[in-house]
Amino acid sequence: MSEHSVRRARWEHLTTDELYDVVRLRNRVFALEQRVSAEDFDGRDREPDTEHWWAGTAEAPVVGYLRLVRPAPHEAHPAGAAAPTRVIGRVATHPDHRGQGVAGSLVAAVVAAHGRDAIVLHAQQYVAGLYERHGFARFGAPYDEAGITHVGMYRPGA
């Protein structure tokens, strides 16, 4: 197996092949596997500050993905903590590549690039440990989103 390389681009710099592979992965994980019925493409992908991060190999160019967006005006975060300046979302790993550190390498790359910023995310509760290994801490009560238990997670800026 080849080592996974991490890449990032903003919307205007994604090739059509990269976009196609990202859409296929997000569809496979969120629509087909998790049966999320909410709209995946919410317009945030095209915002000028949104960063698309993906990992792949020569044989499989996109096996993991996440996007980094600016927070909504009233983005939830721990009381007394600095408001986040970034939000990680849409984290997906192809089933054939799970357990190989793909999502962890993406999160590590985002933290390396934006570790001075406060970052928030809304994790599926069963994978919260992945984010804790990268300095995120849970906040608030678990909640249901699309039939999946989620928990808020926050990483202060350095």
Side-chain angles (χ1 to χ4, degrees):
M1 177 182 69
S2 301
E3 185 170 325
H4 297 99
S5 61
V6 173
R7 299 187 58 207
R8 74 171 160 174
R10 297 208 172 161
W11 180 264
E12 67 272 13
H13 298 293
L14 288 170
T15 69
T16 53
D17 286 339
E18 291 164 346
L19 179 58
Y20 178 77
D21 289 340
V22 164
V23 169
R24 282 191 67 206
L25 177 63
R26 283 170 53 171
N27 181 68
R28 178 180 184 136
V29 171
F30 300 127
L32 301 177
E33 180 183 339
Q34 297 181 350
R35 303 209 185 283
V36 174
S37 60
E39 180 67 43
D40 180 28
F41 296 96
D42 56 5
R44 307 251 10 229
D45 293 299
R46 299 176 72 166
E47 291 177 354
D49 287 339
T50 296
E51 296 178 10
H52 301 273
W53 292 74
W54 68 97
T57 66
E59 303 81 30
V62 178
V63 299
Y65 171 85
L66 65 75
R67 75 176 184 187
L68 192 66
V69 299
R70 293 293 183 178
H74 300 288
E75 186 71 47
H77 62 283
T85 60
R86 309 277 180 176
V87 180
I88 293 176
R90 302 297 197 267
V91 181
T93 302
H94 191 284
D96 295 344
H97 294 265
R98 291 184 185 145
Q100 299 175 19
V102 175
S105 65
L106 288 166
V107 174
V110 166
V111 167
H114 297 286
R116 295 193 179 278
D117 298 328
I119 304 171
V120 72
L121 59 88
H122 307 280
Q124 294 179 5
Q125 188 169 9
Y126 77 97
V127 293
L130 160 73
Y131 304 108
E132 289 170 334
R133 289 191 293 276
H134 295 278
F136 287 85
R138 299 172 197 226
F139 70 90
Y143 59 94
D144 181 88
E145 184 175 310
I148 302 167
T149 303
H150 283 69
V151 63
M153 302 197 77
Y154 178 84
R155 184 181 191 283

